[in-house]
Amino acid sequence: MYHIEKHSVNNHSVWRGRLFKANGENIKNPIPFYMRPLNINDASAMSSLSERIYSQLTKEEECFIHKHTLAEYQKSLTNPDMKYIGIFVGAQLIGMSCLHICRDSETLSAEIPDLPQVIRTECQNINTGALCSDCVLPEYRGNGLNQLMISYRKDLAWQLGCNHVFSIIDRKNHWNMVPYFGSGFQMIGTTIDPDDGGNISLMHYNFNRKQRIIGTEIRASYLDFSKIDTLLANHYIGSGFNTQTGEIIFTPNIQAQQIISHCNQHLENQYISHLIQSHSGGLVYV
């Protein structure tokens, strides 16, 4: 990750850095970029960026982002709870994303469907953040810009009083899993996106809790939906991603740790083995 300079301009945070890749290749002369909040004057550039990225997706990737019109961006930018940020190279918008401040459970549920009950209870009557609309032009991918936008929005969410931040990721979009897991998010559930019927993973960051839970680790391919759902149903959470193997690393959450803590080693092995035997092919331990 490159060095980032953080400045305050007109009471807004502006981050500056340099890009070391273009079109998938290292470049001799790094390209300066900056990241700042977007406003109504950026709506046309946002619409053009969305259209260009969406047009380059394959049929299987259509669920990775939602295409929006100029009018939709103009409307969103008048909502004080929709905090869009953009990355620029010169005057060109090359990437953008959004932090939606959810002030009630109904708004949060609209952004992040089917949250586990324990999470919904914990987030009642408090402001939460939903990260959405992540996109970067293909020629500038590979520079870690998505993870940078996640970090920017996490900082902003904390400044605005959010203790929890959520996001959804298409279950086949392993490229987007890397920056979210790398930013300390955990996979806490899966469901169907009511907007487009896509299979999505629910990602969660809690500012007040240690993000990585120590315990018996189990790995499952990000495409093994059945195994992943079984682990989540048995109180495991996705806490990391192995980029070399394409596997999500699962660790026990508090409930699973309590179960294991009451077992001796033999019973613990039986508990874990039960998860493996629930599905053919097994799971991989680390």
Side-chain angles (χ1 to χ4, degrees):
M1 180 62 71
Y2 29 66
H3 174 69
I4 298 298
E5 297 178 355
K6 300 180 181 181
H7 307 273
S8 180
V9 180
N10 297 325
N11 294 320
H12 293 297
S13 180
V14 177
W15 292 12
R16 299 181 183 274
R18 292 180 179 272
L19 305 176
F20 294 91
K21 285 186 176 182
N23 298 309
E25 297 183 356
N26 295 328
I27 53 178
K28 183 177 180 180
N29 299 312
I31 303 172
F33 74 89
Y34 64 93
M35 181 164 52
R36 63 164 174 82
L38 298 174
N39 56 58
I40 193 67
N41 296 321
D42 299 305
S44 179
M46 296 166 67
S47 177
S48 297
L49 176 62
S50 175
E51 180 67 35
R52 181 176 172 187
I53 291 177
Y54 196 83
S55 68
Q56 296 180 356
L57 297 175
T58 68
K59 185 175 181 180
E60 292 184 352
E61 296 174 344
E62 289 176 348
C63 294
F64 286 7
I65 65 170
H66 295 155
K67 182 173 62 174
H68 297 292
T69 65
L70 174 60
E72 288 172 327
Y73 281 120
Q74 290 172 329
K75 181 179 179 181
S76 294
L77 288 165
T78 63
N79 182 346
D81 290 334
M82 300 291 285
K83 311 291 185 181
Y84 278 92
I85 62 168
I87 299 176
F88 292 83
V89 169
Q92 182 188 17
L93 180 66
I94 67 165
M96 64 180 177
S97 56
C98 182
L99 165 66
H100 187 181
I101 303 299
C102 303
R103 303 187 185 278
D104 54 58
S105 57
E106 182 178 351
T107 304
L108 178 61
S109 295
E111 285 285 0
I112 314 294
D114 296 333
L115 279 173
Q117 181 60 48
V118 63
I119 300 294
R120 292 202 304 271
T121 300
E122 190 172 350
C123 292
Q124 281 183 338
N125 304 317
I126 61 173
N127 290 349
T128 56
L131 307 190
C132 53
S133 303
D134 308 5
C135 58
V136 175
L137 282 178
E139 54 263 43
Y140 292 109
R141 293 172 187 168
N143 283 289
L145 294 178
N146 199 0
Q147 187 159 346
L148 193 63
M149 290 192 291
I150 293 171
S151 296
Y152 186 106
R153 289 175 292 167
K154 279 173 56 182
D155 285 0
L156 182 58
W158 177 251
Q159 293 168 16
L160 295 174
C162 298
N163 290 323
H164 298 265
V165 179
F166 300 91
S167 189
I168 60 174
I169 300 175
D170 187 278
R171 296 183 72 169
K172 294 182 179 179
N173 190 354
H174 61 93
W175 299 281
N176 212 18
M177 292 182 188
V178 176
Y180 274 96
F181 280 121
S183 299
F185 278 73
Q186 299 172 337
M187 182 184 293
I188 58 172
T190 60
T191 190
I192 302 298
D193 190 335
D195 291 332
D196 56 28
N199 293 292
I200 55 175
S201 298
L202 313 180
M203 308 298 290
H204 176 223
Y205 186 91
N206 184 345
F207 286 101
N208 297 322
R209 183 177 298 158
K210 182 179 180 181
Q211 295 304 308
R212 186 64 185 266
I213 296 177
I214 304 301
T216 302
E217 295 184 351
I218 301 176
R219 294 186 181 186
S221 167
Y222 75 96
L223 291 174
D224 285 340
F225 292 180
S226 180
K227 295 178 182 179
I228 290 170
D229 291 344
T230 296
L231 287 166
L232 292 169
N234 284 274
H235 312 302
Y236 274 69
I237 55 174
S239 57
F241 189 81
N242 187 314
T243 56
Q244 294 182 333
T245 63
E247 293 171 315
I248 300 172
I249 301 169
F250 287 87
T251 50
N253 67 10
I254 295 175
Q255 289 173 288
Q257 286 181 328
Q258 290 174 342
I259 294 172
I260 292 173
S261 68
H262 288 89
C263 300
N264 58 30
Q265 186 63 49
H266 175 68
L267 292 178
E268 177 182 344
N269 291 337
Q270 286 185 330
Y271 174 75
I272 302 298
S273 296
H274 172 71
L275 298 182
I276 297 177
Q277 294 169 0
S278 298
H279 299 276
S280 61
L283 301 170
V284 179
Y285 299 98
V286 293

